Amino acid sequence: MSRIFFAFSLLILVALSSPAEAELMDRSEEHEGFFLRMSLGPSTLGLSQGNSSIDGTGAAFAVAIGGAIAPNLILFGEILSVSTTGPTLSGGSQSQATGRDASFVAASIGPGLNYYIMPANIYLSAALHFTELGISDGYSTGETDMGTGLRFALGKEWWVGRSWGLGIAANASWASIPAKGDSSGPSSTATSFGLAFSATYN
């Protein structure tokens, strides 16, 4: 997953180099300018292929950085990490817990659009994600090849200052993961559902 975190570092550098606005307008009417959202919350994560699957519950952390391209319409780049411990392996009618030392992680990055419905300050968000998954049994770790997918969110924010808002959102992600090292092999489907508590600067 080193490619994901390298891209995340570049995203942070771009954000730090963006100048702050000298004047801030009344944000109760429109969203404009620089955009930063950090979110954290409970999430599920699953990977299935045919009758076999692995799934678990854990936490998701996301950072989105971008700017307004029109009033209340935000173009952003996002990085997302969903991690679980002790996932469950299933095959046919059988299922088995992997234990507390095992982990199942998804790392994603990609561009997206966020639209605010004002003055309610409700937003709809959609992003194209490039996703890798990692599975560890506590002794060794395996990674999938990178797949593509989509992430959607519906949320509500409340202003706590001229530029900051706190919010809550429901989100869902889907990705198609190719067979490891074999583009002709069957792909797997990764899904994630969760809630997120967020802090947004805009």
Side-chain angles (χ1 to χ4, degrees), residues 102-167:
S103 62
F104 182 30
V105 180
S108 305
I109 191 170
L113 287 172
N114 185 101
Y115 181 72
Y116 282 96
I117 302 171
M118 301 301 288
N121 216 19
I122 293 172
Y123 68 84
L124 302 170
S125 177
L128 171 66
H129 273 189
F130 301 93
T131 302
E132 286 182 338
L133 294 98
I135 303 171
S136 173
D137 60 4
Y139 301 97
S140 60
T141 300
E143 294 182 352
T144 68
D145 284 343
M146 184 173 289
T148 56
L150 299 171
R151 185 174 193 246
F152 300 97
L154 171 64
K156 161 72 176 176
E157 292 179 344
W158 294 267
W159 294 111
V160 294
R162 288 180 61 85
S163 302
W164 283 97
L166 298 180

Side-chain angles (χ1 to χ4, degrees), residues 58-82:
F61 174 71
V63 176
I65 299 172
I69 56 176
N72 303 317
L73 181 62
I74 311 295
L75 175 66
F76 63 84
E78 180 178 54
I79 184 166
L80 168 70
S81 175
V82 184

Side-chain angles (χ1 to χ4, degrees), residues 156-195:
K156 161 72 176 176
E157 292 179 344
W158 294 267
W159 294 111
V160 294
R162 288 180 61 85
S163 302
W164 283 97
L166 298 180
I168 186 171
N171 56 73
S173 301
W174 170 91
S176 177
I177 308 298
K180 183 73 173 178
D182 182 5
S183 59
S184 64
S187 61
S188 302
T189 300
T191 55
S192 178
F193 303 93
L195 295 175

Side-chain angles (χ1 to χ4, degrees), residues 15 17-27 30-36 66-69 74 162-163 201-202:
S17 65
S18 300
E21 294 184 25
E23 298 293 335
L24 295 174
M25 62 175 293
D26 182 358
R27 298 303 186 178
E30 291 183 339
H31 285 263
E32 293 184 343
F34 176 73
F35 174 85
L36 169 67
I69 56 176
I74 311 295
R162 288 180 61 85
S163 302
Y201 177 90
N202 182 231

